[in-house]
Amino acid sequence: MKDPIPAEEIAKNQTPQKNPPAKKNAIPAKEVYEFYVELMDFKPKIWRRFYVSSDMTMEKLAFTIMHMFNMQGGHLFDFKIDMKPRLRKEFLSRPEINKKMVDEMVSNFPNLIVESYIDEEMDSADDEFTENVLKQTPPSRYDASTTKIKNIIKKDDECIFTYDFGDNWQITVVLEDTDAKTGLSKSELPLIKEGENFGIIEDCGSIPGLEGIVKAFEKKKGEDYEEYKNWLGIDDFDIHSFDKDELNSSVKSFIRYMTRAYNENREEW
């Protein structure tokens, strides 16, 4: 499976133009969703809270998350949604159904997967393994470029965003509010509300690699420090750095670039 965008092409587009200012007296957007996202299995905790329009596609939601976590966009991604908590909550609201019945009904219910790239041959092989070897129901699959957030994610769903299936960066995605009263117009979305710490470093070997980089730059000496310094082209790295205003100034232009780049490469996948 081919990564959609060469790393060198991404690097040339990491200084996007700032977003134009919002128009005065703009009408507030309807159905503004508030999300909380957090990088899994890493300390210090790297997280963001942000607003998007409910009719944004899952692909553009992915690009928003990528930008907030310093992901360059040169790898594929997917969202996995565990349907069991949602169904368990719905079933338990019915007085005629007891807990034991609910557990039996949802135990083998398939997950939902929203993919950056639909590979029917590979998906079929994965589904066959899931069904024949794991004895589980294969997931339902959706295309991220055509699936809207409001049609796939519900409040309090258990959702995981995975980026780069080699390094396997995983981020928990929680829809906290489906009616956020922000007063923001659609042209002002997405908007990062708050967050902490830097994000990831591409192709470093996932969580262990990022941990190694942090330790090396804290010491600022030794073989690991020299290797990372030469590789990254920097003398210092602060995992605690986070600039909300800088992210907000460039998120929409990053989404536009990534959307164009993915669409141009889609036929080559």
Side-chain angles (χ1 to χ4, degrees):
M1 184 180 295
K2 179 182 177 182
D3 287 341
I5 308 167
E8 59 271 18
E9 184 179 348
I10 291 292
K12 292 188 297 184
N13 289 273
Q14 289 308 295
T15 311
Q17 295 181 351
K18 288 190 175 182
N19 301 309
K23 296 180 180 179
K24 293 183 178 180
N25 303 319
I27 299 174
K30 296 179 180 179
E31 290 191 320
V32 175
Y33 280 9
E34 180 178 319
F35 279 96
Y36 173 85
V37 289
E38 180 182 325
L39 181 65
M40 295 176 64
D41 304 319
F42 187 81
K43 292 182 180 180
K45 184 166 67 173
I46 302 175
W47 63 274
R48 312 285 186 256
R49 182 170 279 112
F50 63 102
Y51 301 117
V52 296
S53 172
S54 67
D55 63 358
M56 173 186 268
T57 65
M58 293 294 290
E59 182 179 73
K60 291 183 178 179
L61 175 63
F63 298 154
T64 302
I65 295 172
M66 287 181 195
H67 186 62
M68 292 189 296
F69 283 85
N70 196 47
M71 297 170 175
Q72 306 302 297
H75 298 281
L76 301 176
F77 66 85
D78 69 20
F79 293 87
K80 290 186 176 68
I81 303 172
D82 185 352
M83 290 293 293
K84 296 180 184 63
R86 184 195 301 185
L87 293 170
R88 185 174 285 109
K89 183 178 180 180
E90 292 177 0
F91 285 138
L92 287 175
S93 66
R94 304 178 187 178
E96 71 276 12
I97 301 178
N98 61 44
K99 185 177 182 301
K100 184 177 180 180
M101 293 171 61
V102 170
D103 290 339
E104 291 176 353
M105 285 187 288
V106 305
S107 62
N108 198 36
F109 203 89
N111 293 333
L112 302 181
I113 297 183
V114 184
E115 300 176 307
S116 57
Y117 167 54
I118 301 295
D119 184 331
E120 294 183 0
E121 183 177 350
M122 181 170 287
D123 287 345
S124 178
D126 288 345
D127 291 348
E128 185 176 343
F129 177 82
T130 299
E131 188 170 18
N132 297 333
V133 179
L134 301 180
K135 306 300 181 183
Q136 298 174 358
T137 304
S140 299
R141 300 180 184 275
Y142 298 83
D143 185 336
S145 67
T146 58
T147 303
K148 293 186 176 182
I149 298 173
K150 64 182 179 182
N151 295 332
I152 201 77
I153 300 182
K154 306 299 180 184
K155 190 176 180 182
D156 300 323
D157 271 352
E158 293 186 7
C159 177
I160 295 176
F161 172 73
T162 301
Y163 170 77
D164 182 357
F165 301 134
D167 276 5
N168 202 45
W169 300 100
Q170 293 191 314
I171 292 175
T172 57
V173 180
V174 179
L175 175 54
E176 295 184 316
D177 192 349
T178 58
D179 189 24
K181 304 298 185 183
T182 64
L184 297 168
S185 67
K186 197 169 182 179
S187 65
E188 295 174 280
L189 299 172
L191 184 80
I192 296 96
K193 178 182 179 183
E194 55 188 347
E196 287 184 310
N197 299 317
F198 177 74
I200 74 158
I201 292 179
E202 291 269 357
D203 304 320
C204 73
S206 196
I207 298 299
L210 185 57
E211 290 172 339
I213 291 172
V214 172
K215 290 179 181 178
F217 277 94
E218 285 176 346
K219 292 181 179 180
K220 286 193 175 180
K221 61 181 181 179
E223 185 177 341
D224 287 345
Y225 171 66
E226 293 299 326
E227 287 183 358
Y228 286 132
K229 183 177 71 170
N230 293 332
W231 176 48
L232 296 172
I234 57 177
D235 294 324
D236 195 16
F237 172 68
D238 182 8
I239 190 64
H240 301 291
S241 64
F242 171 69
D243 191 330
K244 179 183 69 174
D245 294 335
E246 183 178 346
L247 289 174
N248 277 323
S249 73
S250 54
V251 62
K252 286 189 281 294
S253 55
F254 180 82
I255 292 171
R256 287 193 295 270
Y257 168 72
M258 289 302 303
T259 301
R260 183 174 66 254
Y262 262 64
N263 286 336
E264 288 174 354
N265 286 274
R266 198 175 299 277
E267 292 183 1
E268 298 181 15
W269 300 352

